[in-house]
Amino acid sequence: MLVIEDISFSYDESQIIEQMNYSFPATGMIGITGKSGCGKTTLLYLIAGLLSSQEGQITYRGKRIDHRFLKEHISFILQNHDLQNALNVRENIKLACRINNLKIDKNEFKQIVDRLEISHLLKKYPYELSIGQRKRVSIARALLKKSAIILCDEPTGALHEKQCHEVMSLLKELSQHSLVIIVSHSSSLLKKYCQTLVEMKEGKLIGEKMRESCHEMIRSIYSSQSFFPIILKEVIHDYRHIMSLIFFQCLILISFFLMNAGLEGVQQAIDDNFSSHPLKNISQIERKDGKFFSFSQGRAAFNCLSIIADAKIFILPENTNHIKLSKGKIRNEADCCVVSDAYYKKHPVNILKIEIDKPIYLKVTGVLKASFFSKEEIYLTPSFTKNYPQYYSQSVYEVEGNYWDVKKQYRDYIINNDAENEKESYMNLIKIGRMIAGIFMTVSLAVSILLLMIVFKDRYIRHLHSYALYLSLGVSKIKLRMMHVLENMVIGIIIIGLSLVISIVSIYSINILSPLYDYYHFYLKSPNIPFVLTVVIYLCVLFFISFVQFKSLTDNHAVRLLREED
């Protein structure tokens, strides 16, 4: 039994309900009439627990009602639009059961929609329905939930006479197993269908009390229901308002992903190519004062080599295991040499000519693999230099070994490594590129966050009525906040998903279809740790914005929203 005990409620210093007492039966149909503004609808919201009385209490079956009462025992049929626009008729009918984790019997569902003659409307959306059809959907939702109490705020408002009698007949049938409380201005209609008619006057209910009945509706079986499909439908329904956001956010993320893929690709190419650079283990040592000195732990530098036909000439190290060739092999013979890929493409010959005192002809026995460092270069063998001892330097020596170990060992000398210098110059360019990318992303992220705040704030304001409807169906304010956050997170996941797919397709297309490697000897790198970090940071920002921007609806605000016209 639902019992009102000495409740009082005032709004804006106006006393709406004062010391009201009333006992409702377990089942039956009770009509409440009264002048406009007398507090009829306010009483319904107090019974539902959407508003809290300043004094007194409302009990159900001997227990004071709390936040679970609306969810477990109440179905609300509002005066105005009480269906979720994002959901079709089928989903709206099932919504209350889904929220309350109630098992839905398919046969029972079919019986209800057939009985209300709305089976042909199941795939339609609320905006496609007439007012009478909407009321039928609301009644179907109450029937499927099997609520113990059904609250109706002007259920026949804006309906023509035939529709009014249809709706009241359906509510009359519901009252056989549930308590149906109807608020209406139409006293004649209430008198015809209600077993008891009471008047709201001076903040109290005046009228006879109905006798007890015991034909209560049997509740449905509880069953776990996922709320995610509803969240997804809300996002899809809102696509017109978020398309520009998705496009702009995707543009920013794709730009970052491609820039990062390029920089990481170049970095990888530099690292890989340096590992096979012919001179990576050759360091030149000289005294800081530039004087001659004797050095027994390395070979003297060969001074007569210069640029020949736009190609630089170098001497290969003794250990050539790390050097990668695209063709041929390395022979440590005085009349053999190896050339770079860039040189061979320009001069595809097997014999080349250089001059040291006299013309010398060398056989090209190998071609270096194309690399990021690739220039026109010729590499002679150590055996070649032994034929010209007069050109050995007495001030510069070459030591073979790891550059950093050599630098540590000979810290009193000037140490120089051509391969390390070349790598360092490229790495400096990479650092500049990363700095530019960082500035771009910082500015883009600031604009992105600002746009997210504006769009999500707009979504929150536009969805306030929808959130109020969810409250009237028993969704808690905490769950409502999480719904709002999850909706925005779904939008974020869509943005990230589209950005990643487009970026990955672009990366593989550029790598496979474009001549990027042929000209620049590097590939764009696939998603890696920076990609993952960007995704995580982006989702964290989305969550923070969504969580902070959502403000829990106050009871009064929710009621005002529910009483608004369409």
Side-chain angles (χ1 to χ4, degrees):
M1 180 186 292
L2 181 68
V3 179
I4 297 174
E5 301 177 9
D6 296 319
I7 66 167
S8 297
F9 183 82
S10 60
Y11 182 73
D12 288 342
E13 299 182 356
S14 175
Q15 194 71 35
I16 307 297
I17 296 173
E18 185 174 5
Q19 297 296 310
M20 178 185 288
N21 289 276
Y22 200 86
S23 297
F24 294 92
T27 63
M29 191 167 177
I30 294 184
I32 301 176
T33 187
K35 297 179 181 179
S36 295
C38 68
K40 302 186 300 296
T41 301
T42 301
L43 176 59
L44 291 187
Y45 288 118
L46 285 167
I47 293 173
L50 290 171
L51 291 177
S52 299
S53 60
Q54 282 99 16
E55 296 179 15
Q57 65 177 2
I58 300 175
T59 61
Y60 180 69
R61 294 177 178 173
K63 295 181 180 180
R64 186 166 186 165
I65 64 172
D66 55 20
H67 65 281
R68 293 175 296 179
F69 177 66
L70 173 60
K71 180 179 178 181
E72 296 176 358
H73 300 289
I74 297 285
S75 282
F76 223 131
I77 299 175
L78 300 176
Q79 176 179 355
N80 303 312
H81 181 32
D82 61 351
L83 303 179
Q84 291 293 353
N85 289 322
L87 308 179
N88 60 30
V89 169
R90 180 189 298 275
E91 292 160 338
N92 266 291
I93 294 173
K94 294 181 177 181
L95 182 59
C97 290
R98 189 179 291 277
I99 289 171
N100 290 277
N101 292 321
L102 297 175
K103 187 175 181 179
I104 299 171
D105 186 279
K106 293 182 179 179
N107 293 328
E108 188 176 1
F109 177 85
K110 187 177 185 305
Q111 291 173 5
I112 290 172
V113 297
D114 288 343
R115 179 182 172 192
L116 295 174
E117 300 179 354
I118 55 174
S119 57
H120 62 293
L121 303 174
L122 294 179
K123 293 184 178 180
K124 291 186 178 294
Y125 285 82
Y127 67 87
E128 300 176 288
L129 306 179
S130 66
I131 296 176
Q133 289 170 333
R134 290 182 185 178
K135 294 295 183 185
R136 287 174 177 271
V137 174
S138 298
I139 293 172
R141 184 173 63 199
L143 278 169
L144 190 64
K145 184 183 176 184
K146 297 181 180 179
S147 298
I149 302 172
I150 298 171
L151 305 178
C152 307
D153 183 15
E154 297 287 355
T156 59
L159 298 179
H160 57 68
E161 186 176 358
K162 182 182 177 182
Q163 290 177 325
C164 287
H165 288 288
E166 288 176 351
V167 169
M168 292 299 288
S169 295
L170 290 168
L171 292 174
K172 182 71 173 178
E173 290 184 37
L174 280 174
S175 70
Q176 295 177 14
H177 301 284
S178 300
L179 172 61
V180 179
I181 303 175
I182 302 175
V183 163
S184 177
H185 289 94
S186 178
S187 299
S188 59
L189 199 62
L190 293 179
K191 285 178 182 179
K192 183 174 180 179
Y193 289 95
C194 294
Q195 292 157 290
T196 298
L197 180 62
V198 295
E199 182 183 4
M200 188 82 172
K201 189 174 182 181
E202 296 180 355
K204 293 181 172 63
L205 287 180
I206 300 173
E208 62 175 310
K209 292 182 174 63
M210 232 175 98
R211 64 184 178 82
E212 270 301 317
S213 176
C214 59
H215 303 290
E216 292 189 63
M217 188 173 287
I218 300 173
R219 295 296 304 277
S220 299
I221 300 172
Y222 285 93
S223 174
S224 179
Q225 300 282 338
S226 172
F227 218 65
F228 184 75
I230 296 173
I231 292 171
L232 195 59
K233 291 282 289 188
E234 290 283 358
V235 173
I236 294 172
H237 178 73
D238 211 26
Y239 79 95
R240 289 188 183 90
H241 296 93
I242 60 176
M243 283 302 294
S244 57
L245 171 71
I246 291 175
F247 174 79
F248 181 77
Q249 299 290 313
C250 284
L251 192 63
I252 291 176
L253 289 177
I254 291 169
S255 300
F256 172 74
F257 288 156
L258 291 180
M259 280 194 299
N260 183 72
L263 290 171
E264 291 293 327
V266 172
Q267 171 88 55
Q268 186 68 46
I270 291 172
D271 292 339
D272 291 345
N273 288 219
F274 177 75
S275 65
S276 61
H277 196 292
L279 303 180
K280 77 164 189 173
N281 292 326
I282 297 294
S283 300
Q284 296 176 335
I285 299 176
E286 59 181 308
R287 287 169 56 110
K288 293 181 179 180
D289 57 10
K291 295 180 179 181
F292 293 170
F293 70 105
S294 177
F295 195 76
S296 60
Q297 299 181 34
R299 70 188 185 192
F302 204 67
N303 280 337
C304 71
L305 303 179
S306 59
I307 297 176
I308 299 176
D310 297 328
K312 285 188 175 182
I313 300 180
F314 300 95
I315 305 298
L316 288 168
E318 295 289 345
N319 184 1
T320 59
N321 293 333
H322 65 283
I323 300 175
K324 295 179 181 179
L325 302 178
S326 61
K327 62 182 297 186
K329 60 182 180 179
I330 299 174
R331 293 181 179 177
N332 191 16
E333 299 173 8
D335 60 345
C336 295
C337 69
V338 173
V339 297
S340 65
D341 176 77
Y343 181 87
Y344 191 74
K345 285 180 178 178
K346 191 171 182 179
H347 309 283
V349 295
N350 293 323
I351 302 292
L352 60 83
K353 175 186 174 183
I354 64 172
E355 289 196 15
I356 300 179
D357 299 334
K358 61 180 180 178
I360 300 173
Y361 294 91
L362 302 172
K363 291 183 292 185
V364 178
T365 61
V367 179
L368 297 175
K369 186 177 179 180
S371 71
F372 193 80
F373 298 127
S374 192
K375 300 181 183 66
E376 292 185 33
E377 297 169 337
I378 300 171
Y379 290 88
L380 306 181
T381 65
S383 299
F384 176 87
T385 62
K386 293 177 182 179
N387 297 328
Y388 303 93
Q390 67 273 26
Y391 292 108
Y392 284 137
S393 172
Q394 294 181 332
S395 61
V396 180
Y397 289 84
E398 292 178 345
V399 175
E400 194 166 333
N402 180 273
Y403 170 72
W404 299 104
D405 291 339
V406 172
K407 192 171 184 178
K408 183 178 180 180
Q409 184 177 357
Y410 303 106
R411 62 175 65 92
D412 295 330
Y413 295 86
I414 298 174
I415 311 297
N416 184 57
N417 184 297
D418 291 336
E420 282 285 350
N421 292 341
E422 193 170 17
K423 179 184 177 181
E424 186 177 356
S425 64
Y426 282 115
M427 292 305 295
N428 287 333
L429 291 176
I430 293 291
K431 289 179 182 178
I432 294 173
R434 291 189 189 281
M435 188 182 301
I436 294 172
I439 294 172
F440 168 79
M441 278 309 298
T442 301
V443 175
S444 299
L445 184 62
V447 175
S448 173
I449 291 174
L450 182 62
L451 182 61
L452 286 171
M453 292 175 65
I454 293 171
V455 173
F456 286 172
K457 184 68 174 179
D458 176 68
R459 284 195 77 251
Y460 172 72
I461 293 172
R462 284 188 292 101
H463 283 68
L464 279 175
H465 185 268
S466 176
Y467 293 152
L469 286 177
Y470 279 119
L471 284 177
S472 73
L473 292 170
V475 177
S476 67
K477 292 180 180 179
I478 294 175
K479 193 168 185 178
L480 201 59
R481 180 190 286 270
M482 293 314 300
M483 279 180 60
H484 173 76
V485 171
L486 286 174
E487 284 175 14
N488 291 339
M489 294 299 285
V490 167
I491 294 173
I493 291 170
I494 291 172
I495 291 170
I496 290 171
L498 284 173
S499 301
L500 282 175
V501 169
I502 294 172
S503 297
I504 291 171
V505 170
S506 300
I507 288 170
Y508 281 100
S509 298
I510 291 171
N511 286 342
I512 295 171
L513 302 178
S514 74
L516 181 68
Y517 188 82
D518 294 337
Y519 286 104
Y520 302 105
H521 308 297
F522 77 93
Y523 289 114
L524 298 182
K525 198 171 182 183
S526 300
N528 51 11
I529 293 177
F531 281 70
V532 176
L533 288 176
T534 303
V535 169
V536 171
I537 292 171
Y538 189 82
L539 288 176
C540 288
V541 170
L542 276 176
F543 180 86
F544 179 78
I545 292 174
S546 303
F547 191 84
V548 171
Q549 279 194 334
F550 184 89
K551 298 178 181 178
S552 296
L553 289 174
T554 62
D555 294 338
N556 290 336
H557 191 192
V559 169
R560 284 199 303 271
L561 289 167
L562 292 172
R563 300 181 69 171
E564 286 179 354
E565 298 292 335
D566 286 344

